[in-house]
Amino acid sequence: MTALMLTRPLLRSRLSGEIENILLKGIIKGQLAVGEKLPTERELARDLVVNRSTVREALGRLESLDLVEIRHGDGVYVKNYLESGNLELIRAMIRLDDRQRDDIIAALLEFRTIIGPEMAFRAAENRTEEHLVSLEEVIWKNEDLSILEKDIRVHHIIALAGANVLYLTLLNFFNKFVVEYGYLYFNDQENVKRSQRFHEEIYHAIRDRNAGLARKIMKDVLLYAQNVVVDTLQIGKKSNRR
Amino acid sequence: MTALMLTRPLLRSRLSGEIENILLKGIIKGQLAVGEKLPTERELARDLVVNRSTVREALGRLESLDLVEIRHGDGVYVKNYLESGNLELIRAMIRLDDRQRDDIIAALLEFRTIIGPEMAFRAAENRTEEHLVSLEEVIWKNEDLSILEKDIRVHHIIALAGANVLYLTLLNFFNKFVVEYGYLYFNDQENVKRSQRFHEEIYHAIRDRNAGLARKIMKDVLLYAQNVVVDTLQIGKKSNRR
DNA sequence: AATGATTTATTGGTCGGACCACCGGACCAA
DNA sequence: TTGGTCCGGTGGTCCGACCAATAAATCATT
């Protein structure tokens, strides 16, 4: 894997997707008040110069995100996105509102630092022989995996061993950011070495069912990563202000 | 609000919604393998005796849940739902597979018990005068609110004060279950009193910026609730086995 | 005048059929 | 082997029509 990933797939736009983004933005930015009734599908289609089916597909996806409520025979109503309980919204907030980006990423890292160690603790308690084999595969075999992929898989196996479906879900959520920005972290060879050391240490702790140690190891590495990224963001802020 | 919520809105079936559920179930239960190519929209429409538009709306929602990937000019492919990072899936798993229900709920309670106290800690550190006023409103004014609504609002304000968008999102997610099953907990008057005591104590801790105390208070109440519910689920299991 | 049943206009849900945009593979040519 | 072209199939959009549910207006009854 190249560091800069020059050839990334273009994101094809779908007409219904653009409409979805327009409304999504309107809701998150508060231009569409909570409880407000949207124009009818036919009106939206007319105003956007688009077919009603296309509008419907956009609205359907928005309802799937719990951003609107579609009432048959009545209309479409805006819901409070702050009460939606949908992770995808966090990604949308970052995508649509750059000002909040750094704060949100900081919050994610803080959260991960709190929950990750506890899951490592449980992983060390509950791990089976299969989990160990999987970890060995990733850490010592599979030479062709990048450090980023290795790291993601190690965390994934730990989440599986921790046996908490919510943590697994959150980890997958985090990983979407790791995949996107992780190469920045691993550009520093020092961090690569640190990560390799982490993989070996956490493996031994989990193998020995030393839950307390596993928790500490995880806590240290997550805290370190958190600090690195937050520092980077701070630098970004300063350089923007000069 | 009545305890049993006798008048809950009927869940009107949407044809596209039923199709969505069918495919959702197939994916979660593993009948549709990861990477597998689904039948074409036209085929699905023909087999299900339904219009293609209806199939499309169902597939679009599934893509919104990150369960399938729709490739223009190619086809629709099943994704690995265990890597989707979507909270809504957890709800779907509970809805579609009763066997996992208790385990998942136990995992959610465990998670909440880990993260809630830390957020209370941060809330005590970051709270503003406005947060205190909001808490006072809910706890001592607003006599007409049920204990369940009060509890939800108190936690919500704490999440706002904690200023972590991810925790706010998760809390909203948790609350969907609290709204659904919370009356069971509050049927016991002892738990109602315990909750009222909790509201007052956590308020004072947050007001005094006593972060450590706020964390302990939150931890105690969440641990207690966790134990109560898990015990209840255990009873359910036993009675099923008799 | 108040209440309850009924009608009506509006809105979302489904339909079928058409055409466009895109993809993958087959085929061909350099 | 490489690159270009063509072609069948697939998802994306469009059109116009009708079905089904809702809310508001209307009417009938008391």
Side-chain angles (χ1 to χ4, degrees), chain B residues 56-71:
Chain B
R56 280 185 57 76
E57 299 200 1
L59 291 175
R61 286 173 132 91
L62 287 177
E63 187 180 54
S64 201
L65 289 177
D66 208 12
L67 285 178
V68 301
E69 181 180 349
I70 304 177
R71 299 188 200 148

Side-chain angles (χ1 to χ4, degrees), chain B residues 39-104:
Chain B
T40 67
E41 296 177 348
R42 290 169 176 86
E43 281 176 327
L44 281 174
R46 175 167 47 74
D47 296 349
L48 296 170
V49 193
V50 92
N51 192 269
R52 189 177 152 217
S53 313
T54 308
V55 172
R56 280 185 57 76
E57 299 200 1
L59 291 175
R61 286 173 132 91
L62 287 177
E63 187 180 54
S64 201
L65 289 177
D66 208 12
L67 285 178
V68 301
E69 181 180 349
I70 304 177
R71 299 188 200 148
H72 187 175
D74 186 354
V76 182
Y77 294 83
V78 177
K79 296 188 71 172
N80 185 351
Y81 76 94
L82 285 178
E83 293 179 359
S84 76
N86 193 312
L87 289 178
E88 208 49 41
L89 266 192
I90 296 179
R91 286 166 54 78
M93 289 171 70
I94 292 178
R95 195 172 72 246
L96 298 179
D97 192 352
D98 282 345
R99 293 168 305 177
Q100 299 188 32
R101 198 196 63 150
D102 292 356
D103 288 339
I104 294 177

Side-chain angles (χ1 to χ4, degrees), chain B residues 19-28 32 38 44 59 62:
Chain B
I19 297 173
E20 185 186 349
N21 274 338
I22 291 173
L23 296 175
L24 180 60
K25 201 161 189 168
I27 293 174
I28 289 185
L32 298 172
L38 256 51
L44 281 174
L59 291 175
L62 287 177

Side-chain angles (χ1 to χ4, degrees), chain A residues 14 56-57 61 63 82-85 87 107-108 110-111 114-115 122 164 166 169-170 172 176, chain B residues 14 56-57 61 63 82-87 107-108 110-111 114-115 122 164 166 169-170 172 176:
Chain A
R14 230 180 321 208
R56 279 184 57 76
E57 298 200 0
R61 285 175 135 89
E63 188 181 53
L82 285 178
E83 294 180 359
S84 77
L87 289 178
L108 298 186
E110 179 187 49
F111 203 89
I114 292 171
I115 199 67
R122 282 157 180 74
N164 187 309
L166 184 47
T169 301
L170 280 181
N172 289 324
K176 293 180 182 177
Chain B
R14 226 177 327 205
R56 280 185 57 76
E57 299 200 1
R61 286 173 132 91
E63 187 180 54
L82 285 178
E83 293 179 359
S84 76
N86 193 312
L87 289 178
L108 298 186
E110 178 187 51
F111 203 89
I114 293 170
I115 199 66
R122 282 158 181 73
N164 188 309
L166 184 46
T169 301
L170 280 182
N172 289 326
K176 293 179 181 177

Side-chain angles (χ1 to χ4, degrees), chain B residues 191-208:
Chain B
N191 291 336
V192 173
K193 286 182 190 169
R194 182 183 297 269
S195 183
Q196 289 168 336
R197 212 180 317 131
F198 160 68
H199 293 163
E200 295 173 9
E201 289 178 359
I202 195 92
Y203 165 80
H204 289 127
I206 290 175
R207 183 195 62 189
D208 301 342

